[in-house]
């Protein structure tokens, strides 16, 4: 609790959870980048303001940009945020709902051309694997 705010978090019995039968083996990443808590927050706020639900992380051979937009509407409103420099060329697509479930904070992100991504939290022991959308392209 904090001041007048409080939260109740209910744990689940371990036997009720669905867990992988074997360890997830992340393929060698094609792209590695940092996604700060500030970037994640800005993308979520922009998506809510623009009423869009898709996110692309795009490398154009010079820089990496995060783009919030509606993939089904080519004339939709968009929000672009430069993440850094890169010589890689790729387009990695995610549904916003997947990224919005990440625990708050900054992440080291690995993207694989096998359409799997790994988000490693910078401050706590947390690794999240997210599938990319089928229209993801590398190279």
């Amino acid at each position: 609790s904090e001041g007048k705010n409080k939260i109740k978090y209910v744990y689940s019995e371990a036997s009720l959870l669905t867990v992988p039968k074997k360890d997830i083996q992340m393929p060698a990443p094609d792209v590695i980048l940092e996604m700060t808590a500030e970037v994640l927050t800005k993308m979520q706020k922009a998506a809510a303001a623009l009423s869009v639900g898709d996110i692309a992380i795009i490398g154009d051979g010079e820089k990496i940009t995060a783009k919030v937009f509606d993939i089904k509407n080519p004339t939709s409103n968009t929000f672009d945020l430069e993440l850094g420099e890169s010589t890689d060329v790729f387009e990695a697509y995610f549904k916003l709902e997947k990224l919005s479930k990440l625990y708050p904070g900054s992440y080291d992100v690995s993207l694989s051309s096998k359409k799997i991504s790994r988000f490693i939290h910078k401050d706590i022991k947390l690794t999240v694997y997210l599938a990319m959308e089928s229209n993801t392209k590398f190279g």
Side-chain angles (χ1 to χ4, degrees):
S1 66
E2 178 183 53
K4 295 181 180 182
N5 304 318
K6 67 180 182 177
I7 187 169
K8 179 180 178 183
Y9 186 82
V10 181
Y11 289 91
S12 178
E13 172 66 34
S15 64
L16 299 175
L17 300 175
T18 303
V19 295
K21 303 274 188 244
K22 59 183 180 175
D23 288 339
I24 297 172
Q25 295 297 319
M26 177 71 181
D30 294 282
V31 177
I32 298 173
L33 59 109
E34 179 182 10
M35 192 164 290
T36 65
E38 179 184 11
V39 166
L40 286 168
T41 299
K42 283 183 179 181
M43 289 192 310
Q44 290 170 348
K45 286 181 179 180
L50 300 174
S51 297
V52 295
D54 297 293
I55 292 176
I57 301 172
I58 301 169
D60 65 5
E62 295 178 12
K63 65 184 178 301
I64 297 176
T65 305
K67 179 179 182 176
V68 178
F69 67 113
D70 180 354
I71 199 162
K72 294 179 182 174
N73 180 1
T75 61
S76 74
N77 297 318
T78 64
F79 172 74
D80 293 355
L81 185 62
E82 192 170 323
L83 301 179
E85 297 178 1
S86 175
T87 58
D88 297 307
V89 177
F90 65 94
E91 296 175 10
Y93 295 94
F94 297 90
K95 291 291 183 191
L96 174 66
E97 63 198 36
K98 290 180 183 177
L99 293 180
S100 65
K101 293 179 183 176
L102 290 173
Y103 187 81
S106 297
Y107 290 83
D108 289 321
V109 180
S110 300
L111 305 174
S112 169
S113 58
K114 306 283 187 206
K115 299 185 181 176
I116 184 91
S117 64
R118 179 178 59 206
F119 288 70
I120 301 174
H121 200 284
K122 288 181 154 284
D123 299 321
I124 61 172
K125 186 178 178 182
L126 174 67
T127 301
V128 178
Y129 295 89
L130 296 175
M132 292 181 249
E133 296 299 305
S134 61
N135 51 338
T136 293
K137 298 177 247 180
F138 282 82

